[in-house]
Amino acid sequence: MTIEMLYSKIHRATVTDANLNYVGSITIDEELLEASKMRVGQKVEILNINNGERFSTYIILGERGKRDICLNGAAARKVHKGDKVIIVAYATYDEKELESYKPTVVLLNDENNIDEILEEI
């Protein structure tokens, strides 16, 4: 049996831009991707704390150190610059993998700098 579980999340990221005239996706700073163990092209869910919107998209690489969190394309209609979002990735684990299961949770401050990295929910 396999179970879909939280793989990683970036918690309380501040949206730095919403670009409607783009193919689509979420741009995430390279350092934040590394800290969260997320990957370019990976499917993620976006949870908008400000308005309750929940939607899926995929990750594109943002410039290292700029702390960009930019929603592009149709997703840009679901956020406003300055909104707080949670970026969530899931993975499928088998029973053996769950014995050592530890999701990565990256907590950000208002400037999208890392406050803390947890390996627990």
Side-chain angles (χ1 to χ4, degrees):
M1 174 172 65
T2 60
I3 301 172
E4 190 171 14
M5 303 285 288
L6 173 69
Y7 168 74
S8 181
K9 79 173 177 175
I10 300 174
H11 191 73
R12 295 189 62 84
T14 303
V15 174
T16 58
D17 199 7
N19 183 353
L20 184 60
N21 298 311
Y22 192 82
V23 176
S25 60
I26 182 170
T27 303
I28 302 175
D29 178 293
E30 185 174 19
E31 290 177 22
L32 300 179
L33 284 180
E34 288 172 357
S36 68
K37 301 177 186 170
M38 292 182 191
R39 295 168 171 80
V40 172
Q42 185 174 9
K43 179 182 177 179
V44 290
E45 288 191 28
I46 311 301
L47 317 175
N48 188 326
I49 295 168
N50 292 77
N51 65 19
E53 289 280 358
R54 299 171 72 101
F55 55 94
S56 299
T57 190
Y58 63 93
I59 298 169
I60 62 171
L61 185 62
E63 188 175 331
R64 178 179 288 279
K66 286 190 69 179
R67 298 297 184 253
D68 285 338
I69 301 290
C70 178
L71 279 299
N72 303 298
R77 294 215 184 266
K78 305 236 180 227
V79 300
H80 290 98
K81 187 175 177 179
D83 281 359
K84 293 288 186 187
V85 295
I86 301 169
I87 304 161
V88 182
Y90 300 96
T92 303
Y93 298 87
D94 64 32
E95 301 262 347
K96 184 72 174 166
E97 291 169 314
L98 287 172
E99 292 175 12
S100 59
Y101 168 73
K102 290 185 179 177
T104 302
V105 177
V106 179
L107 306 176
L108 301 185
N109 66 17
D110 289 340
E111 290 78 38
N112 289 337
N113 292 309
I114 298 169
D115 270 346
E116 191 173 0
I117 300 174
L118 308 172
E119 287 194 344
E120 62 185 343
I121 298 177

